[in-house]
Amino acid sequence: MPSNTEFDWSIARRRRFGVWRYRELLPLHNDIEPVTLCEGGTPLIKISRAMNGNVFVKFEGANPTGSFKDRGMTVGITIAKSLGVEGVIVASTGNTAASAAAYAARAGLQCIVVLPRGGVAKGKLAQALLHGAKIVEVDGVFDDALEEVFTEVVINGKRNLYPLNSYNPWRLEGQKTLAFEIVDELREPPDYVFVPVGNAGNISAIWKGFKELYNYGLIRKLPKMVGVQAEGAAPLAKTWTLKSRTLIPIERPMTIASAIRIGRPVNWLKALKAVEESSGVFITVSDDEIVNSMRDLAVYEGVGVEPASAASLAGYRKALEIGIIDKGDVAVLVATGHALKDPDTITKYFSRGD
Ligand code: F0G
């Protein structure tokens, strides 16, 4: 009969799932107990009717709060708790807020979310409310909300509040596990990974994940990273196209995809490096292309995603059309968030009888 400790450990090991399955590749001290909701381990779904080719959708909507943010939040909140802070603060277009609120609740921490007034989809706002976050709304866009977080934490010196936006490196450590899962499932990296880009943390994190596997000798090639932005909110695509070495911000970002309605992405330099190092590219897609891709994923594949997530399929189609990629190439489209996040867009664009 194993002793209690051995027994507990064996259960804990068997239960290791998703993000924490890769604990050895996360730079955290072993004594730190994770704050987890069993995030990660999301399905990699081969699609065939919305697009034929070697195309897989990594369905991040299957995470506990319905977006990829949970991968980073489990690590970020774990660190926040271990530091003994009273609470966490995030600016958000909605998904970070929903995720921070849920994980803070699980950790017994306060959570303040700073949101652009009128710029957050209903499902996400509802989640933040449900999990008991304190909601602060600012007039303006996400970039103004993030400025408010900087002001609170850095200028007003609220040291008991731990900032958890994606400039926080722990968030990115968690998000890099998406790359590990892709390799675990496909056995090797795909040729291309398509990622919708807003504040540009995710594309940087995923690239970091692939590079680590490569540097450890676990994979022999690297994928090309394709950052997809909405036409009206494409500071990085513009910066990339004009070969500028400084960010060209967009003052009034506009797109139906509210999650990526961001004009001054914090992680812009990391994202540019990810695309450059991987010999990838940034591309833009229109709101119509986003809506069409959202519809096709839903109607032909049964995969319900929010508008920002559909940008990856729209980007893949654009890349094929302009000849950047080939039909035979293996591509993974990161579908970042669940359709239920944004019911208003669905009822507006997909009315009965259409
Ligand atoms: N897709 C969805 C559904 C998102 O919520 C976000 C970002 C992105 C893509 C872009 O990821 O910022 O790492 O480039 N949402 C953030 C938020 C900004 O506040 O929820 P990114």
Side-chain angles (χ1 to χ4, degrees):
M1 188 69 184
S3 76
N4 270 347
T5 24
E6 276 161 350
F7 186 62
D8 286 344
W9 174 236
S10 80
I11 290 176
R13 277 198 82 83
R14 267 190 283 130
R15 279 209 187 138
R16 279 213 293 174
F17 179 76
V19 168
W20 294 97
R21 216 180 128 212
Y22 303 103
R23 181 161 191 153
E24 283 76 10
L25 298 175
L26 299 172
L28 282 98
H29 198 281
N30 265 342
D31 293 345
I32 297 179
E33 179 79 14
V35 177
T36 174
L37 288 163
C38 298
E39 51 293 310
T42 56
L44 186 68
I45 304 166
K46 177 113 197 309
I47 61 170
S48 54
R49 296 213 300 144
M51 205 68 237
N52 64 22
N54 283 318
V55 191
F56 298 82
V57 169
K58 182 70 172 155
F59 185 43
E60 289 292 283
N63 274 299
T65 77
S67 85
F68 73 97
K69 302 289 179 177
D70 296 346
R71 292 181 185 275
M73 210 51 79
T74 182
V75 181
I77 292 277
T78 295
I79 291 294
K81 191 176 176 193
S82 77
L83 291 173
V85 295
E86 273 169 42
V88 298
I89 184 167
V90 292
S92 180
T93 56
N95 280 325
T96 299
S99 185
Y103 283 82
R106 189 150 176 85
L109 296 173
Q110 290 169 23
C111 178
I112 300 175
V113 301
V114 187
L115 309 176
R117 197 188 306 280
V120 172
K122 212 181 252 168
K124 307 173 188 181
L125 193 59
Q127 287 179 289
L129 286 168
L130 174 68
H131 294 295
K134 180 181 170 205
I135 295 177
V136 177
E137 289 187 299
V138 298
D139 292 316
V141 291
F142 168 85
D143 308 289
D144 304 295
L146 190 55
E147 205 58 50
E148 183 69 25
V149 169
F150 280 133
T151 309
E152 279 297 298
V153 177
V154 182
I155 301 175
N156 295 342
K158 295 236 172 90
R159 299 280 170 214
N160 56 345
L161 283 181
Y162 189 63
L164 269 180
N165 276 104
S166 61
Y167 60 83
N168 182 309
W170 293 107
R171 288 262 318 274
L172 303 185
E173 286 298 319
Q175 286 174 212
K176 78 183 180 189
T177 58
L178 194 144
F180 303 162
E181 285 180 15
I182 292 174
V183 171
D184 268 347
E185 290 221 45
L186 294 180
R187 298 279 150 227
E188 59 174 3
D191 299 309
Y192 290 88
V193 181
F194 286 76
V195 190
V197 174
N199 216 16
N202 207 27
I203 192 166
S204 321
I206 297 170
W207 176 238
K208 184 174 196 285
F210 282 118
K211 267 204 320 195
E212 285 182 9
L213 296 182
Y214 186 82
N215 291 339
Y216 292 138
L218 297 169
I219 54 176
R220 281 203 207 90
K221 65 166 197 171
L222 285 162
K224 295 185 169 67
M225 303 299 294
V226 183
V228 188
Q229 295 206 291
E231 274 172 8
L236 273 162
K238 194 167 179 191
T239 304
W240 172 261
T241 310
L242 297 178
K243 297 191 169 51
S244 167
R245 295 319 290 176
T246 52
L247 178 74
I248 305 174
I250 306 286
E251 281 319 315
R252 259 178 264 259
M254 272 184 294
T255 165
I256 184 193
S258 58
I260 51 172
R261 198 181 287 148
I262 294 176
R264 272 176 278 143
V266 170
N267 292 297
W268 67 272
L269 190 55
K270 282 188 197 158
L272 280 183
K273 280 186 75 180
V275 169
E276 194 173 277
E277 281 175 18
S278 72
S279 309
V281 64
F282 278 101
I283 44 186
T284 58
V285 292
S286 69
D287 280 1
D288 281 349
E289 289 165 334
I290 288 176
V291 172
N292 287 338
S293 295
M294 189 174 161
R295 175 185 286 119
D296 290 352
L297 278 176
V299 171
Y300 295 123
E301 306 290 348
V303 178
V305 303
E306 67 167 286
S309 315
S312 28
L313 174 58
Y316 174 82
R317 288 174 164 172
K318 181 68 66 71
L320 260 186
E321 193 184 298
I322 56 184
I324 296 175
I325 61 168
D326 210 78
K327 261 226 161 112
D329 292 327
V330 178
V332 171
L333 317 179
V334 182
T336 43
H338 200 284
L340 289 173
K341 294 280 190 174
D342 191 354
D344 288 342
T345 300
I346 298 174
T347 43
K348 182 169 171 199
Y349 286 87
F350 304 90
S351 54
R352 271 164 288 182
D354 269 9

